[in-house]
Amino acid sequence: MQTELSKQLGLEHAIFGFTPFPAVAAAISRAGGLGVLGAVRYTAPDDLKRDLDWIEANVGGRPYGLDVVMPAKKVEGVSEADVEAMIPEGHRQFVTDTLAKYGVPGLAEGDAVGWRITGWMEQVARTQLDVAFDYPIRLLANALGSPPDDVVGRAHQRGVLVAALAGSARHARKHAEAGIDVVVAQGYEAGGHTGEIASMVLTPEVVDAVDPLPVLAAGGIGSGQQVAAALSLGAQGVWLGSLWLTVTEADLHSPAVTRKLLAAGSGDTVRSRALTGKPARQLRTEWTDAWDDPHGPGTLPMPLQGLLVAEAVSRIQKYEVEPLLGTPVGQIVGRMNSERSVQAVFDDLTRGFEQAVDRVNRIAGRSDRP
């Protein structure tokens, strides 16, 4: 599973694995792919430094990358408190009533809220980059548009490739104009923030739109056969995220979430604004149903929705209130029905890839195998 891009990065397989877990990122790189650590939760630079130190010590000299969140539009002079003051009281009451309906206890004194707007602010991403550029990362990815020009320049000065996610050919062309090196074509099936175009349609559209830039296919990919399909559509690799949530190296801190992921089918996700205010694919729960109910108040735009529900989500997660408990995940969750190691996942991917390529060769009359 090698392409021009994977060879450029020194990879054995053209598999790029996004994950919030350092142990998973290191294992992906050791298995021959490129582990990409999600940085959004690292609001303290020392925490990111600690985990990059750990990856550096455990990656076996293999390449790895970092994924940051730098919004395409920057608002100057606005604090988190200013933004939080914009939340309507009726929405706050809706959260209170919904949690009370399910008997969700409050947080204890000193309990941290797991997600805040700070992780999505450009100045925080810049502090993350100040740390990360001291390490030999090979790829810098941005989940919300193209990074600012100076960030692209800093990366290129260090020999770091820059990638950006795109949900349409129009977005992909903007990335190419901004000097991005790799475009990740993220289809509708993907977990987290995603657009409305399915991977089978999106991938070749983006490949044509940004040629000769390399494209990675993302969204709904979790088998070697799908990897082969992505490469046949013109992609130079695949970007996998959801697939790593149930590997043994992952640390979800919630047995209940793991159980729900393992039991879910491909139809058990929903593209909802309930988590951040932007459409994000996640497990369908009674929490997402409440926010998507036309009789409710509806969601707020980003970043208001994320601020509104941050404490509530932390309470739901801490007490594992199963009817409300979910996580961002793609439609590939239907294949995630057992806990396996990262290496076992790679073994399945490579085996399935070989079978798919051999099948096509037989159809084309180019295989010596019976």
Side-chain angles (χ1 to χ4, degrees):
M1 282 193 288
Q2 283 199 336
T3 64
E4 185 178 342
L5 178 62
S6 67
K7 292 175 183 177
Q8 180 182 353
L9 290 167
L11 310 180
E12 185 179 351
H13 306 297
I15 295 173
F16 296 69
F18 165 80
T19 174
F21 307 117
V24 177
I28 291 169
S29 291
R30 289 197 306 270
L34 187 83
V36 181
L37 179 67
V40 69
R41 65 190 179 96
Y42 293 99
T43 55
D46 286 347
D47 291 340
L48 179 58
K49 183 179 186 305
R50 177 202 63 216
D51 283 355
L52 288 176
D53 282 339
W54 188 91
I55 289 177
E56 186 67 21
N58 288 274
V59 81
R62 300 294 184 93
Y64 59 95
L66 190 75
D67 179 279
V68 296
V69 176
M70 300 188 79
K73 295 180 180 178
K74 178 170 64 173
V75 180
E76 299 282 4
V78 178
S79 69
E80 184 173 329
D82 293 332
V83 177
E84 194 155 10
M86 301 176 189
I87 297 173
E89 187 56 40
H91 282 74
R92 295 185 189 276
Q93 190 60 51
F94 180 75
V95 171
T96 299
D97 293 344
T98 303
L99 295 177
K101 176 182 176 181
Y102 291 90
V104 183
L107 295 176
E109 186 176 350
D111 281 349
V113 175
W115 184 90
R116 301 298 289 180
I117 185 179
T118 48
W120 297 72
M121 299 175 79
E122 182 179 324
Q123 59 264 38
V124 174
R126 287 185 177 277
T127 64
Q128 294 165 349
L129 293 177
D130 289 339
V131 172
F133 282 143
D134 286 336
Y135 293 81
I137 62 171
R138 296 298 309 279
L139 180 78
L140 173 66
N142 187 40
L144 290 179
S146 304
D149 291 344
D150 67 297
V151 171
V152 176
R154 287 179 68 189
H156 288 168
Q157 286 172 4
R158 291 162 173 79
V160 177
L161 296 182
V162 181
L165 276 65
S168 70
R170 178 172 60 88
H171 291 153
R173 280 189 288 267
K174 287 184 177 180
H175 293 334
E177 292 166 1
I180 299 304
D181 304 294
V182 181
V183 176
V184 181
Q186 185 184 44
Y188 171 84
E189 308 94 326
H193 295 123
T194 186
E196 298 181 348
I197 304 174
S199 297
M200 183 64 74
V201 174
L202 180 66
T203 301
E205 283 189 353
V206 172
V207 168
D208 290 343
V210 301
D211 183 63
L213 286 185
V215 172
L216 301 178
I221 300 172
S223 71
Q225 290 87 345
Q226 290 169 309
V227 175
L231 298 189
S232 73
L233 292 173
Q236 288 204 30
V238 292
W239 178 274
L240 310 181
S242 297
L243 194 63
W244 316 111
L245 289 174
T246 54
V247 296
T248 53
E249 293 90 345
D251 188 10
L252 280 175
H253 298 294
S254 175
V257 169
T258 300
R259 286 196 302 272
K260 293 186 80 168
L261 288 170
L262 295 174
S266 56
D268 292 329
T269 69
V270 63
R271 194 167 162 268
S272 170
R273 298 178 184 266
L275 188 60
T276 68
K278 282 185 176 291
R281 187 170 296 285
Q282 55 204 280
L283 283 178
R284 182 175 182 176
T285 66
E286 293 183 32
W287 177 256
T288 61
D289 286 348
W291 283 106
D292 295 338
D293 189 335
H295 300 294
T299 56
L300 297 170
M302 180 187 269
L304 300 182
Q305 182 70 15
L307 277 172
L308 172 64
V309 304
E311 181 180 341
V313 170
S314 293
R315 288 165 62 182
I316 292 166
Q317 291 174 343
K318 176 179 179 179
Y319 299 106
E320 296 198 312
V321 183
E322 293 213 25
L324 306 178
L325 189 63
T327 187
V329 70
Q331 291 179 329
I332 198 61
V333 70
R335 296 184 65 96
M336 296 158 49
N337 48 26
S338 65
E339 293 186 76
R340 301 176 292 164
S341 68
V342 167
Q343 185 60 60
V345 171
F346 265 80
D347 290 343
D348 284 348
L349 290 172
T350 54
R351 183 164 47 248
F353 177 82
E354 291 171 355
Q355 291 170 350
V357 170
D358 203 43
R359 184 181 305 121
V360 172
N361 282 336
R362 288 199 305 272
I363 292 171
R366 297 176 182 147
S367 177
D368 294 331
R369 297 189 187 185

